[in-house]
Amino acid sequence: MENNKNTFENSEITVTFAPKKCINADKCAKGLSEVFRTTVLPWIDLEAASTQKIITQINKCPSGALEFCHKQIEAPVT
Ligand code: SF4
């Protein structure tokens, strides 16, 4: 799901992309091309791989342009 041009979400995490920080090293597109796509908009598809794989790839971003945070999981109402 996309709610803003540079903010992307799945059920577990929110990912942000800061274009001004990106140094175009292409590490994300080469490392996890099904999520970080160079020819399709929106260019990030968080449904295309597991959250753990996405986090691992984001942690390899050399510029810090990609960041993520975990969503709060609400406790079930009892
Ligand atoms: S890995 Fe980071 S710096 Fe490299 S292209 Fe992707 S967002 Fe930009």
Side-chain angles (χ1 to χ4, degrees), residues 2-74:
E2 183 192 16
N3 60 12
N4 151 327
K5 214 165 102 186
N6 294 311
T7 302
F8 305 84
E9 297 179 319
N10 66 14
S11 59
E12 297 172 290
I13 55 171
T14 299
V15 173
T16 56
F17 171 62
K20 287 184 181 168
K21 285 189 185 174
C22 177
I23 56 172
N24 285 320
D26 252 8
K27 220 175 169 90
C28 53
K30 286 183 183 150
L32 198 58
S33 60
E34 59 271 41
V35 172
F36 302 101
R37 307 171 300 176
T38 54
T39 56
V40 188
L41 288 174
W43 76 282
I44 296 178
D45 179 6
L46 296 184
E47 307 298 336
S50 70
T51 295
Q52 191 51 55
K53 275 189 176 177
I54 294 167
I55 288 172
T56 299
Q57 190 61 49
I58 288 173
N59 285 335
K60 293 178 185 171
C61 174
S63 68
L66 288 170
E67 295 184 319
F68 73 94
C69 64
H70 289 280
K71 289 184 169 181
Q72 296 269 333
I73 298 174
E74 291 180 23

